[in-house]
């Protein structure tokens, strides 16, 4: 059992790394799906069959599918791949990697010292359900409201017509706004004079 | 996994990749919760994971809708191009 | 009746408050009613108080009225208290009565000015401060009045503030008197720390009990008080402000710079005469200052062509006489001269005001002439005042008072023949410059034509003052008797010159002066021009015209170095502190605004960095 855990974990990490470094969006998505499936296996081994099923059905099945739809919709071809290659020089990885590494070290330091057997007990779905509808009732309700809000919001945002191309905002005054690039303080200072 | 997700979030400029790394990070956090629940033999870890899942779903829905709008508006998915709200 | 004493400063003060707070809303009539009326009531009150005081003198010939204790700090408890004795009575009478006449005059003189109520507000505030000064029973309250009159002098000299030159003159007056005020305050500190009180009467008693005559402390304190007096009374070396103070309106010059404020120094010395008697060195300094000033100012008055400046230098010179009297110990003579001087000098200034107003703001006597037919009242009153100033024998008050001083300069215990010679020389100069003025302005061919004649409000005070300028001299006997209660009578210590013979010499000098003035300025005016054309004489003329170069000396020695130092210290390290704060804020602003890039990844990195730091803090601290 433990071996299964570590193998699945390794698969998850490796496929995540692969996902990060892909140029093509759809390739990366597929790798991500693999990563999620591996994590689902991890969950099962840990003794949480319910969330394992959930992971596969909801996360990999619904959310990732949504991503795939959108990614395919954009139809990003070779041009996008070239852009990605341009953007991702090796040097760029250094600072964020350092930051993340520091965070990793801190978290590992915090988590050290607590060991336990893997898969010692299996928590059945029935137990989870009892806890869900008991103490965490309100969480359920809130989550459902959140999903409703998300649905409505997504519908509205998605349904808006594409706006007209970007024009100057003071179209009604026939003036060009001065370029106060980045300087809130001076924003009001360079007003061109109005002709009365 | 969280660190990986964080790194990739900071590095990649394509919007979709940013969202994907966000998912990775969420997943990693959920994994941590489940492990903790298993460690102490409580169902609470799984419950929290359920909530994280619901939240991620809602976020993805809205986020992808926004991505679609942005693409229509700016004709590109470059995150750095979305810097109009600067000081 | 005497208990009405507190009303005398209170009435003008209340009126000043009303005028200054509600001034713009008051009509001319209302403002004049407040301004003149309050002084009139104060004068009436003074007369009532003084008649009650003289008919039924209180114990010790002094009346004290304490209103309240000003402060009580560690045993130092000065009061708002008034002390009335013959000295302060005389001075308050002069201030209120002459002040009243001048206010009536000003009511018409300033009628066209747009800041009418502001003017009367300042004038009333001045009178209130002056009376506080005179009636104060302790030196701290006196200093309050002292500062008040200095302030009002500044405000009134610079009354027409839109003209920069007036502002400069006002500043000059204030700064110069400030120098004197500082000396006076140091004197007060010395007196307080050594003798433990500032109540004037207690101070005098303790001083004579604790300090031997000629002791260092007495001399130091007296010299410091002299410094203050010299500043306020425009004596050497601080006389430079008074001629420039003529930039103010003429009634102001009449009230402040002729009759009242400039005599504050004389009052101070007379009040503390016990202290000066304990310090002969200081008293001699007083006399020397007085003698020097009267000659210095006399020569300068001889060369001026602005009539007000002639009168200003004349004032400086006459106060020099008063200081001379104080310096030789002729206390009563000094006060008598103060009385007569107030009348004729105020009259001279008011008359000058009439002339200037009538000739539409012409100040130079060389452009005037022949006014005795056009302005008869002004001519006769001016003539009377001029004769009083110069000392026309027996007919004018000035003769009596000035000759008393000059004779005392010889005969008093601290008198000296040199002082007498200086006094006589001064008398000659006085006669000369006074009649130079009169002959140029009122006689000869007509210069600038008269465009305006004065009304009753301006002429009646002239007549009243002229009356007193003659009559006051005959009150010499009773006056000195009244003064006996507060100032010691001068004994005749040096013989060799009788009073009569001194008077004869003075009368002769008067006549010689009139003759020369007539010769150079009426009979053959070309002689005057010829005299000045000579290069040596011309240089001398220019030098005296510029007040013996004191302005130039002070400018080079004091003003320029000070300005230079303040220039190089303009951005000193204290300023750096404040600009540093501003600069720091600016720096922070720029830095922080740079961090707001609008890029999501940058913000996410910031969040990650922040969480790393936070966890580190939790872990390791």
């Amino acid at each position: 059992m433990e071996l299964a855990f570590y193998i699945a974990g390794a698969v998850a990490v490796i496929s995540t790394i692969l996902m990060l470094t892909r140029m093509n969006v759809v390739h990366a998505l597929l790798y991500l799906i693999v990563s999620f499936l591996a994590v689902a296996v991890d969950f099962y081994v840990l003794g949480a069959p319910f969330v394992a099923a959930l992971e596969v059905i909801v996360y990999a099945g619904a959310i990732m599918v949504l991503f795939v739809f959108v990614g395919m919709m954009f139809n990003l071809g070779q041009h996008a791949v070239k852009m990605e290659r341009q953007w991702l020089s090796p040097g760029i990885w250094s600072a964020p990697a350092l930051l993340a590494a520091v965070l990793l070290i801190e978290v590992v330091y915090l988590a050290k010292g607590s060991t336990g057997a893997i898969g010692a007990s299996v928590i059945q779905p029935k137990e989870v359900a009892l806890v869900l509808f008991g103490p965490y009732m309100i969480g359920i309700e809130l989550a459902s409201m959140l999903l409703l809000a998300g649905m409505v919001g997504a519908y509205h945002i998605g349904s808006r017509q594409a706006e007209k191309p970007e024009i100057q905002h003071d179209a009604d005054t026939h003036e060009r706004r001065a370029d106060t690039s980045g300087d809130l303080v001076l924003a009001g200072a360079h007003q061109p004079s109005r002709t009365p | 996994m969280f660190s990986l997700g964080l790194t990739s979030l900071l590095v990649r400029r394509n919007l979709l990749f940013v969202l994907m790394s966000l998912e990775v990070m969420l997943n990693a956090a959920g994994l941590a919760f489940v492990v903790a629940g298993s460690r102490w033999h409580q169902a609470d870890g799984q419950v929290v994971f359920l909530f994280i899942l619901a939240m991620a779903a809602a976020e993805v829905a809205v986020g992808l809708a926004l991505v679609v709008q942005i693409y229509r508006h700016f004709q590109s998915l470059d995150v750095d191009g979305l810097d109009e709200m600067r000081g | 009746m005497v208990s009405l004493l507190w009303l005398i400063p209170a009435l003008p003060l209340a009126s000043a408050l009303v005028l200054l707070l509600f001034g713009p809303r008051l009509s001319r009539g209302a403002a004049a009613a407040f301004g003149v009326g309050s002084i009139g009531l104060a004068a009436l009150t003074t007369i009532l108080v003084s008649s009650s005081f003289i008919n039924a003198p209180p114990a010790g010939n002094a009346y004290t009225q304490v209103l309240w204790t000003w402060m009580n700090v560690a045993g130092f408890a000065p009061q708002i208290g008034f002390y009335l004795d013959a000295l302060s009575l005389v001075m308050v009478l002069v201030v209120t009565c002459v002040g009243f006449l001048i206010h009536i005059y000003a009511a018409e003189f300033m009628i066209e000015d747009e800041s009418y109520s502001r003017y009367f507000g300042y004038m009333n505030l001045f009178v209130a401060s002056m009376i506080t000064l005179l009636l104060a029973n302790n030196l701290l309250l006196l200093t309050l009045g002292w500062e008040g009159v200095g302030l009002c002098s500044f405000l009134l000299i610079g009354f027409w503030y839109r003209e920069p030159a007036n502002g400069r003159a006002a500043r000059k007056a204030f700064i110069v008197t400030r120098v004197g005020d500082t000396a006076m305050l140091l004197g007060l500190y010395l007196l307080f720390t050594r003798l433990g009180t500032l109540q004037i009467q207690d101070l005098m008693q303790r001083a004579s009990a604790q300090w031997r005559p000629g002791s260092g402390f007495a001399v130091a304190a007296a010299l410091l008080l002299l410094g203050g007096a010299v500043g306020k009374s425009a004596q050497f070396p601080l006389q430079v402000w008074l001629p420039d103070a003529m930039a103010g309106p003429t009634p102001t010059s009449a009230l402040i710079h002729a009759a009242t404020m400039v005599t504050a120094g004389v009052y101070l010395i007379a009040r503390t005469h016990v202290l000066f008697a304990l310090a002969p060195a200081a008293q001699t300094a007083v006399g020397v200052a007085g003698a020097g000033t009267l000659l210095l100012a006399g020569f300068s008055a001889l060369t001026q062509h602005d009539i007000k400046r002639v009168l200003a230098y004349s004032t400086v010179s006459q106060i020099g006489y008063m200081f001379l009297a104080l310096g030789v110990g002729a206390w009563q003579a000094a006060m008598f001269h103060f009385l007569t001087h107030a009348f004729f000098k105020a009259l001279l200034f008011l008359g000058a005001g009439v002339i200037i107003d009538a000739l539409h703001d012409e100040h130079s006597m060389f452009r005037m002439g022949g006014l005795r037919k056009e302005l008869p009242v002004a001519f006769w009153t001016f003539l009377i005042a001029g004769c009083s100033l110069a000392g026309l024998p027996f007919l004018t008050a000035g003769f009596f008072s000035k000759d008393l001083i000059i004779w005392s300069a010889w005969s008093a215990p601290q008198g000296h023949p040199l002082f007498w010679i200086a006094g006589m020389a001064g008398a000659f100069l006085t006669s000369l410059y006074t009649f130079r003025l009169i002959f140029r302005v009122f006689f000869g061919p007509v210069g600038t034509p008269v465009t305006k004649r004065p009304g009753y409000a301006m002429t009646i005070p002239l007549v009243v003052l002229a009356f007193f300028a003659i009559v006051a001299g005959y009150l010499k006997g009773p006056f000195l008797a009244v003064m006996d209660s507060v100032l010691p009578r001068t004994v005749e210590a040096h013989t060799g010159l009788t009073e009569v013979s001194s008077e004869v010499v003075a009368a002769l000098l008067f006549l010689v002066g009139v003759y020369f003035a007539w010769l150079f300025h009426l009979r053959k005016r070309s002689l005057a021009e010829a005299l000045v054309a000579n290069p040596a004489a011309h240089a001398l003329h220019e030098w005296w015209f510029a007040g013996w170069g004191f302005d130039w000396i002070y400018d080079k020695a004091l003003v320029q170095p000070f300005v230079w130092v303040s220039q190089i210290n303009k951005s000193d390290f204290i300023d750096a502190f404040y600009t540093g704060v501003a600069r720091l804020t600016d720096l922070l602003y720029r830095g922080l605004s740079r961090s707001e890039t609008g890029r999501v990844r940058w913000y996410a990195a910031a969040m990650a960095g922040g969480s790393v730091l936070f966890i580190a803090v939790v872990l390791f601290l």
Side-chain angles (χ1 to χ4, degrees):
Chain A
M1 276 308 232
E2 293 209 14
L3 194 60
F5 176 81
Y6 286 116
I7 291 177
V11 168
V13 171
I14 291 172
S15 74
T16 306
I17 292 176
L18 281 173
M19 172 214 111
L20 299 182
T21 52
R22 292 306 100 194
M23 298 297 147
N24 194 330
V25 177
V26 182
H27 294 180
L29 279 170
L30 293 173
Y31 276 115
L32 193 58
I33 291 177
V34 169
S35 164
F36 284 158
L37 291 175
V39 170
V41 171
D42 257 335
F43 282 153
Y44 185 78
V45 170
L46 279 172
F50 180 57
V51 284
L54 271 182
E55 173 95 3
V56 173
I57 297 170
V58 175
Y59 225 130
I63 295 176
M64 280 300 114
V65 166
L66 205 52
F67 263 104
V68 170
F69 283 166
V70 171
M72 297 230 159
M73 190 168 84
F74 286 146
N75 207 4
L76 306 167
Q78 285 303 104
H79 170 72
V81 175
K82 231 191 303 181
M83 290 293 300
E84 293 283 343
R85 260 190 240 283
Q86 235 179 10
W87 288 338
L88 287 177
S89 58
I92 273 194
W93 289 90
S94 55
L98 182 65
L99 201 57
V102 172
L103 196 58
L104 179 66
I105 291 170
E106 278 180 351
V107 173
V108 167
Y109 181 77
L110 270 175
K112 247 160 66 95
S114 62
T115 51
I118 298 180
S121 67
V122 175
I123 300 176
Q124 292 299 333
K126 187 164 178 193
E127 288 172 46
V128 177
L130 278 174
V131 174
L132 260 184
F133 281 92
Y136 289 100
M137 190 63 201
I138 193 154
I140 297 264
E141 302 304 321
L142 287 174
S144 67
M145 285 212 283
L146 178 66
L147 286 170
L148 181 67
M151 187 169 77
V152 171
Y155 169 75
H156 268 287
I157 294 175
S159 78
R160 200 149 345 131
Q161 292 301 316
E163 290 177 12
K164 296 198 187 67
E166 173 95 336
I167 47 169
Q168 63 236 38
H169 291 291
D170 16 21
D172 50 337
T173 61
H174 304 291
E175 280 176 359
R176 297 204 127 270
R177 180 187 291 168
D179 180 50
T180 58
S181 41
D183 207 333
L184 192 64
V185 170
L186 292 178
H190 299 298
Q191 292 296 331
S193 59
R194 288 175 183 268
T195 54
Chain B
M1 292 250 305
F2 188 85
S3 315
L4 284 173
L6 181 63
T7 310
S8 110
L9 177 77
L10 294 178
V11 171
R12 306 224 52 157
R13 275 168 80 163
N14 192 330
L15 243 184
L16 281 176
F17 273 95
V18 168
L19 284 175
M20 285 198 285
S21 18
L22 206 55
E23 295 306 314
V24 168
M25 285 161 76
L26 282 170
N27 198 37
L31 178 60
F33 269 109
V34 171
V35 168
S38 149
R39 164 84 176 77
W40 276 289
H41 310 297
Q42 284 175 333
D44 297 51
Q46 303 188 26
V47 169
V48 173
F49 181 81
L50 187 69
F51 291 145
I52 291 179
L53 204 58
M55 187 219 85
E59 168 242 326
V60 161
V62 174
L64 285 176
L66 282 173
V67 168
V68 168
Q69 277 300 327
I70 287 171
Y71 185 71
R72 280 193 206 155
H73 214 271
F74 289 97
Q75 313 305 320
S76 107
L77 287 176
D78 182 4
V79 154
D80 282 345
L82 307 172
D83 60 354
E84 274 192 8
M85 280 176 69
R86 59 170 177 261
Chain C
M1 271 303 165
V2 185
S3 56
L4 293 176
L5 190 60
W6 65 276
L7 273 179
I8 306 178
L11 284 168
L13 182 63
S15 162
L17 278 170
V18 167
L19 285 167
L20 289 173
L21 286 172
F22 304 114
R25 283 187 252 162
L26 292 172
S27 69
R28 291 274 151 89
F34 271 106
V36 180
S38 66
I39 308 290
L41 282 173
L44 188 64
T45 316
T46 315
I47 293 174
L48 288 173
V49 165
S50 52
S51 67
S52 161
F53 184 84
I54 292 178
N55 290 333
N61 281 310
Y63 170 73
T64 307
Q65 184 181 46
V66 177
L67 292 181
W68 70 85
T69 307
W70 191 348
M71 61 182 106
N72 197 333
V73 178
F76 173 57
Q79 303 158 321
I80 307 288
F82 297 132
Y83 179 80
L84 185 69
D85 63 1
L87 176 61
S88 52
L89 185 68
V90 160
M91 294 204 72
V92 172
L93 262 176
V94 167
V95 170
T96 50
C97 297
V98 175
F100 177 57
L101 291 170
I102 293 177
H103 275 73
I104 296 177
Y105 177 94
E108 184 186 325
F109 187 81
M110 298 294 288
I111 196 83
E112 277 157 34
D113 201 286
E114 56 180 50
S115 317
Y116 196 67
S117 42
R118 178 164 70 98
Y119 184 73
F120 277 104
Y122 289 158
M123 290 286 267
N124 282 3
L125 186 62
F126 167 80
V127 174
S129 308
M130 187 73 200
I131 295 179
T132 310
L133 192 162
L134 294 171
L135 288 177
N137 77 341
N138 61 65
L139 285 175
L140 198 62
L141 188 59
L142 189 146
T143 310
L144 177 69
W146 193 271
E147 301 286 342
V149 297
L151 170 73
C152 293
S153 174
F154 167 81
L155 290 171
L156 285 164
I157 295 173
F159 183 72
W160 292 312
Y161 55 84
R162 294 209 164 89
E163 193 65 38
N166 297 346
R168 280 199 293 271
R171 273 210 312 273
K172 181 173 173 181
F174 194 78
I175 293 175
V176 173
T177 50
R178 219 346 147 234
V179 174
D181 294 348
T182 314
M184 190 176 90
L185 280 174
L186 287 174
L188 254 60
Y189 292 147
L190 179 62
L191 286 170
F192 182 69
T193 50
R194 286 279 118 201
L195 296 175
T197 179
L198 283 179
Q199 296 269 63
I200 299 181
Q201 302 308 314
D202 290 343
L203 203 59
M204 296 298 113
Q205 277 171 356
R206 290 189 202 184
S208 45
Q210 288 180 10
W211 289 343
R212 297 172 295 103
S215 86
F217 287 123
V219 172
L223 279 175
L224 287 169
L225 288 180
L226 173 63
V230 152
K232 203 55 112 196
S233 296
Q235 299 295 291
F236 171 82
L238 295 176
Q239 83 282 8
V240 290
W241 65 271
L242 193 53
D244 286 339
M246 297 299 116
T250 309
T252 303
S253 306
L255 183 62
I256 298 185
H257 306 126
T260 45
M261 186 179 99
V262 291
T263 53
V266 178
Y267 171 75
L268 180 67
I269 297 181
R271 244 302 160 242
T272 54
H273 70 270
V274 172
L275 188 65
F276 280 88
L278 285 174
Q283 204 173 3
T284 315
V286 174
V288 169
T293 310
L294 72 91
L295 285 174
L296 192 157
F299 280 115
S300 284
L302 206 48
T303 58
Q304 303 295 323
H305 40 74
D306 182 339
I307 44 177
K308 281 180 77 174
R309 280 182 87 98
V310 174
L311 296 176
Y313 276 112
S314 170
T315 304
V316 175
S317 179
Q318 294 302 306
I319 300 183
Y321 272 102
M322 295 182 218
F323 268 61
L324 176 61
L326 294 170
V328 299
W331 315 103
Q332 297 180 347
M335 296 318 298
F336 187 48
H337 194 55
F338 154 75
L339 179 71
T340 57
H341 174 264
F343 292 133
F344 60 68
K345 196 43 73 62
L347 177 54
L348 280 171
F349 269 104
L350 295 185
V354 167
I355 295 168
I356 292 172
D357 203 34
L359 295 182
H360 197 63
D361 231 27
E362 176 59 68
H363 283 242
S364 166
M365 73 168 94
F366 289 106
R367 285 195 281 269
M368 304 178 188
L371 287 177
R372 74 174 188 283
K373 303 266 175 34
E374 302 283 338
L375 299 171
V377 177
F379 168 61
W380 285 107
T381 53
F382 202 91
L383 186 63
I384 292 173
C387 290
S388 198
L389 171 61
L392 179 65
F394 301 112
L395 280 179
T396 54
F399 169 73
F400 290 105
S401 59
K402 203 185 325 180
D403 280 325
L404 187 57
I405 292 180
I406 299 178
W407 179 63
S408 307
W410 178 290
S411 66
Q414 286 98 350
H416 195 278
L418 278 177
F419 283 144
W420 182 83
I421 293 175
M424 280 300 177
F428 172 62
L429 284 172
T430 309
S431 164
L432 196 55
Y433 67 67
T434 309
F435 280 94
R436 166 180 179 257
L437 179 62
I438 292 178
F439 286 137
R440 281 282 177 184
V441 171
F442 291 107
F443 291 82
V446 174
T448 317
V450 171
T451 47
K452 203 174 112 175
R453 276 165 215 290
Y456 283 115
M458 277 163 76
T459 43
I460 293 184
L462 293 179
V463 174
V464 173
L465 284 171
F467 172 73
F468 279 110
I470 299 177
V471 159
Y474 303 125
L475 297 172
K476 179 166 126 183
F479 180 83
L480 295 182
V482 167
M483 279 284 134
D484 269 340
S485 62
V486 83
L487 291 171
R489 208 177 256 270
T490 330
V491 294
E492 182 178 346
H494 301 135
T495 49
L497 186 72
T498 60
E499 190 168 354
V500 175
S501 39
S502 178
E503 284 177 1
V504 165
V505 177
L508 276 175
L509 283 174
F510 169 79
L511 289 169
V512 171
V514 174
Y515 171 71
F516 275 110
W518 173 76
L519 185 65
F520 279 93
H521 294 283
L522 187 60
R523 186 87 158 84
K524 284 179 98 177
R525 286 191 172 170
S526 51
L527 276 181
E529 272 114 52
L531 193 62
V532 180
N534 175 358
H538 186 73
L540 207 58
H541 188 266
E542 290 295 310
W543 187 45
W544 287 340
F545 181 76
W548 293 60
F550 271 95
D551 277 332
W552 183 87
I553 294 175
Y554 286 148
D555 186 51
K556 289 279 172 289
L558 297 172
V559 175
Q560 297 294 348
F562 186 78
V563 168
W564 178 76
V565 169
S566 67
Q567 286 288 5
I568 56 178
N569 198 32
K570 199 151 62 152
S571 45
D572 54 6
F573 68 96
I574 296 183
D575 271 345
F577 176 67
Y578 292 109
T579 54
V581 169
R583 224 155 338 123
L584 184 67
T585 316
D586 190 48
L587 218 69
L588 277 174
Y589 157 71
R590 282 189 203 289
L592 285 173
S593 72
R594 200 103 49 85
S595 76
E596 235 183 302
T597 53
R599 300 196 191 137
V600 176
R601 302 189 300 143
W602 172 259
Y603 292 158
M607 279 195 264
S611 53
V612 164
L613 262 171
F614 193 67
I615 297 177
V617 164
V618 168
L619 272 184
F620 299 118
L621 286 177

